[in-house]
Amino acid sequence: MVNTPQFGPDHPVYVIGGGPGGLAVAASLRAKGVRAVVLEKSDAVGASWRSHYDRLRLHTTRRLSALPGLAMPRSFGRWVARADVVRYLEKYADVHELEIVTGVEVTRVERDTEGGWLLHATGGRRLTGRAVVVATGYNHTPRVPEWPGLDAYGGEFAHASAYRNPAPYAGRDVLVVGAGNTGAEIAADLVEGGAGRVRLAVRTVPHIVRRSTAGWPAQRTGILVRRLPVRLVDKAGELMARVAVPDLSEHGLPRPDTGLYSRVREGAIPVQDVGLIDAVRRGAVEIVGAVASFAGDKVVLADGSAITPDAVIAATGYGRALEPLVGHLGVLDERGRPVTHGARSPESAPGLYFTGFTNPISGMFREMARDAERIAKALAGRGRSAG
């Protein structure tokens, strides 16, 4: 019997990305006796978590956020801080003795002539693997809208990916653009950190939920309802919001006119309140309209008014940036997202897997952990059938 690169012992499963999704897959594969090599472009695991703002905590509970084979320490508390997530990922890699190569960026993945996969990486590397798991992350490349006039804007401008803490903004007038979880939390952080004035530009009114109610975390509700009909969850979400979340209409944040779960299915996760509601009610965070353009040192809003903040922080999201890597394989949809995830490979690319490219209300860490075990099971099964 002739060994091929698809199943040969010298041709591992390559996992692209050393974040939680990639590490979970590698550990799950190792537990099933499948060699996995993690390729991480930075110099350490958990690179994205290392660069997030200081205040960030997991919005999911510690117990429901552990990766396969290692619980998170109780000392981390219920809502795990950014720095503790980094420590956990470092320990996870050590405990599972994962094979990780840092400082290597994969730029293109191609089908190998012998049935495996060929990876083009930095330094002219050409790596052949039996399968590939892409885990480069949901928040990969900062995205900034193409606002007219931005190139010539005379004020201070930064994407939220560059924000660390409120210290540089003490006493200053700051406009945060984007009312997702990141924008809402940065706005609250700026208020607590002594910014002189904080405004939050809102294009689409978000659904706001309490992180927990009477000790019951929103994540558990998300787990329970994610398989229910959308209209039913939308109605339940509306009733819960009226009980748990005050009406902020007079402060510029009316209740959304579309259902919570309908928004989730479109990719918009509800904002978990970590201080925004109180800050808006007190007037400490002022709600303004969407940004339309920039003119000199002014920011022009959708209603035609103009403001002149000292600094603008754009919490406008991230792109997956998968097109250069796998776009030529026909495995992405019109929005650049993988057409499959978890244990399913695209029909046109068997042996190619994706994890961490959805943002479910049941918790991203939880779903990546589940994906990892399913991917490992699928790959271990392929190895046995090939033998």
Side-chain angles (χ1 to χ4, degrees), residues 17-198:
L23 297 181
V25 169
S28 297
L29 285 168
R30 192 175 190 279
K32 290 189 175 296
V34 178
R35 183 185 174 210
V37 177
V38 178
L39 303 174
E40 167 55 47
K41 69 177 182 179
S42 72
D43 60 359
V45 300
S48 64
W49 278 91
R50 294 175 190 275
S51 62
H52 284 316
Y53 48 93
D54 297 344
R55 172 193 172 109
L56 181 64
R57 290 178 177 269
L58 282 176
H59 289 167
T60 53
T61 67
R62 169 182 53 81
R63 293 184 63 184
L64 293 175
S65 300
L67 302 180
L70 185 66
M72 288 188 172
R74 293 185 63 182
S75 60
F76 285 0
R78 195 179 199 192
W79 311 105
V80 183
R82 178 199 63 83
D84 287 332
V85 171
V86 173
R87 281 191 280 271
Y88 173 73
L89 295 178
E90 290 174 338
K91 183 177 180 180
Y92 191 84
D94 289 340
V95 167
H96 291 289
E97 300 179 336
L98 301 183
E99 191 173 347
I100 300 170
V101 183
T102 59
V104 175
E105 181 176 8
V106 179
T107 55
R108 186 177 175 88
V109 176
E110 296 178 342
R111 199 73 171 143
D112 183 81
T113 56
E114 297 183 63
W117 290 92
L118 177 64
L119 287 67
H120 298 265
T122 50
R125 294 176 176 87
R126 293 166 63 88
L127 309 170
T128 303
R130 54 170 285 194
V132 175
V133 181
V134 181
T136 49
Y138 191 82
N139 296 334
H140 186 275
T141 303
R143 182 176 60 226
V144 176
E146 295 181 356
W147 286 303
L150 178 59
D151 290 345
Y153 177 56
E156 181 180 326
F157 181 92
H159 188 270
S161 59
Y163 179 85
R164 296 293 174 269
N165 57 64
Y169 302 95
R172 303 176 70 193
D173 181 342
V174 187
L175 172 67
V176 180
V177 184
N181 274 293
T182 297
E185 188 156 0
I186 288 176
D189 197 34
L190 287 165
V191 168
E192 295 174 14
R197 184 179 190 181
V198 179

Side-chain angles (χ1 to χ4, degrees), residues 111 117 329-332 338-341 343-354:
R111 199 73 171 143
W117 290 92
L329 297 171
V331 298
L332 305 178
V339 295
T340 63
H341 72 276
R344 293 176 54 230
S345 287
E347 290 184 9
S348 61
L352 180 64
Y353 300 86
F354 296 89

